[in-house]
Amino acid sequence: YGKEHLRERTYLRYVELSQRTYAAIGHIRLDRLQPHHLLDFYKQLAEPGQNKRTGGGLASKTIKHYHTFISSVMERAVKWKLIADNPCHRVDAPKADKKQIQYLDDKQALQFMDALEKEPLEYQAIFSILLLTGMRRGELLGLEWPDIDLDERVIHIRRTSQYAPGAGIYTDTTKTEQSKRPLSIPAELADLLRRYRVEQGERRLRVGDRWSPEWAEHPRLFTQWDGKPMHPNAPYQELQKLLQRNGLPKVSLHSLRHTNATLLIRQGTDVRTVSGRLGHSQTSTTLNIYAEFLQSADKAASESIADALLRNRAGG
């Protein structure tokens, strides 16, 4: 059922989560699964050794993913009348630790843009798009040339490019319907993309017959040397090299999205517009993530109205 009805990325993630889940509680009949079984499982996941990379327990966010997966399965069982109720509803969902978002401040963002001028044209385009539009990595790597209207200066988000072990690189739908969106871009970015398109064309000619024939049907902006879709890890690796060379703090690729959002908020852009450009399904998502910056913007607005009406009156 999941293979047919879930996003590919969600389905592959659920398959991954099912391995530990079924090993721990898969022997229990659905109608006999109780909250204490779930709580014992979550406790086990937090124990040292569960995280093969660090040797510690799984992160609270990951444990919450397990809860979401189990609840999704149980909810389907309720809908199909296999069980009367979802036992996950009788368990408090594991709370994910709220991490502070990483971003580049105004000065660092300017330094980053200056540093880009020394980079290959392809990565100038990649990082400029991420910083100037705030789109997600998957959305960026899913871009095809017909999605770009350089005359009107609009990029249309229509799909994503993802990677999963065993599945490799694959094309997927956007995160939500709201994620399908047009994004206006400045003239400078449109000019950069024009130059990059010419360079990509020259690269195709040099590669010749070894260029992927699939590119003709799906002309991705960002590819491997032979025209196949770029691996999602490639931009991250290049970003880390760029940051280190230029003495900038180590941040993730997603931090460029956060940088875009925080700069928009500081410039006084209204939350609905910021939310729309980020492709959030609800404005409340934007409010939750960027509450600290919106509060600062609110204080600045308070001072601005005070300057206009209280402090600058004649004779005041």
Side-chain angles (χ1 to χ4, degrees):
Y1 177 86
K3 181 74 173 171
E4 294 177 5
H5 293 85
L6 298 174
R7 286 182 65 214
E8 183 73 8
R9 189 179 184 185
T10 305
Y11 170 74
L12 291 171
R13 178 62 170 153
Y14 279 6
V15 168
E16 182 185 352
L17 294 172
S18 70
Q19 296 173 11
R20 266 195 174 118
T21 304
Y22 295 164
I25 59 174
H27 61 286
I28 303 170
R29 262 179 44 167
L30 288 180
D31 60 347
R32 292 179 181 167
L33 188 65
Q34 296 297 319
H36 71 86
H37 294 127
L38 300 174
L39 292 171
D40 288 344
F41 178 45
Y42 302 154
K43 184 179 178 181
Q44 175 192 330
L45 293 174
E47 290 174 355
Q50 293 294 318
N51 188 321
K52 303 302 180 187
R53 183 173 55 85
T54 66
L58 295 185
S60 56
K61 184 177 180 180
T62 304
I63 297 174
K64 189 173 182 179
H65 288 168
Y66 277 94
H67 177 78
T68 301
F69 161 61
I70 296 168
S71 185
S72 177
V73 173
M74 293 296 125
E75 206 58 45
R76 184 57 45 185
V78 171
K79 194 164 188 177
W80 289 344
K81 297 186 183 301
L82 298 174
I83 54 177
D85 72 329
N86 181 349
C88 294
H89 292 170
R90 290 178 274 134
V91 174
D92 291 333
K95 290 186 178 179
D97 295 331
K98 189 169 183 179
K99 294 183 178 178
Q100 280 197 322
I101 64 170
Q102 289 183 313
Y103 64 97
L104 299 173
D105 63 27
D106 301 25
K107 185 178 178 181
Q108 291 166 341
L110 286 172
Q111 187 182 344
F112 182 82
M113 292 302 292
D114 288 340
L116 278 185
E117 295 179 8
K118 297 174 284 186
E119 298 300 310
L121 202 58
E122 180 176 39
Y123 281 100
Q124 285 188 42
I126 285 175
F127 296 134
S128 293
I129 289 175
L130 289 174
L131 191 54
L132 293 170
T133 69
M135 71 175 66
R136 303 173 178 94
R137 176 184 65 176
E139 295 169 346
L140 169 91
L141 296 179
L143 289 176
E144 298 177 1
W145 284 111
D147 303 328
I148 318 294
D149 188 331
L150 293 175
D151 294 327
E152 294 296 324
R153 304 206 302 270
V154 175
I155 294 177
H156 295 273
I157 307 292
R158 292 177 173 136
R159 75 196 68 74
T160 67
S161 183
Q162 306 290 348
Y163 172 84
I169 300 170
Y170 61 93
T171 301
D172 201 359
T173 57
T174 54
K175 190 171 183 179
T176 63
E177 275 303 306
Q178 287 76 12
S179 296
K180 292 180 181 177
R181 62 198 187 280
L183 287 169
S184 297
I185 60 173
E188 293 84 351
L189 180 54
D191 291 340
L192 173 60
L193 290 174
R194 285 190 182 94
R195 288 188 283 124
Y196 171 63
R197 185 168 60 180
V198 171
E199 182 183 87
Q200 189 188 59
E202 294 171 348
R203 183 154 42 102
R204 285 173 55 211
L205 289 174
R206 288 196 301 271
V207 173
D209 293 341
R210 292 178 297 170
W211 191 265
S212 172
E214 296 173 3
W215 189 89
E217 188 175 350
H218 300 287
R220 292 286 169 90
L221 266 70
F222 305 111
T223 69
Q224 301 176 47
W225 69 271
D226 58 357
K228 293 179 181 176
M230 179 179 281
H231 193 288
N233 284 347
Y236 172 78
Q237 292 167 353
E238 290 301 319
L239 175 64
Q240 298 313 307
K241 295 175 190 174
L242 186 155
L243 295 171
Q244 188 172 16
R245 281 196 300 269
N246 292 276
L248 286 162
K250 183 178 178 180
V251 295
S252 69
L253 209 64
H254 202 73
S255 298
L256 300 183
R257 176 172 165 87
H258 291 319
T259 301
N260 173 273
T262 55
L263 287 172
L264 286 177
I265 291 168
R266 283 174 174 154
Q267 291 293 324
T269 308
D270 67 275
V271 179
R272 188 174 293 278
T273 300
V274 175
S275 183
R277 285 186 66 83
L278 293 176
H280 286 158
S281 56
Q282 296 177 325
T283 307
S284 59
T285 303
T286 315
L287 290 167
N288 290 336
I289 297 173
Y290 302 107
E292 175 189 343
F293 301 95
L294 290 163
Q295 189 175 23
S296 297
D298 182 63
K299 288 180 180 177
S302 171
E303 292 300 309
S304 294
I305 196 68
D307 286 341
L309 299 178
L310 301 175
R311 299 167 186 157
N312 294 331
R313 288 181 295 174

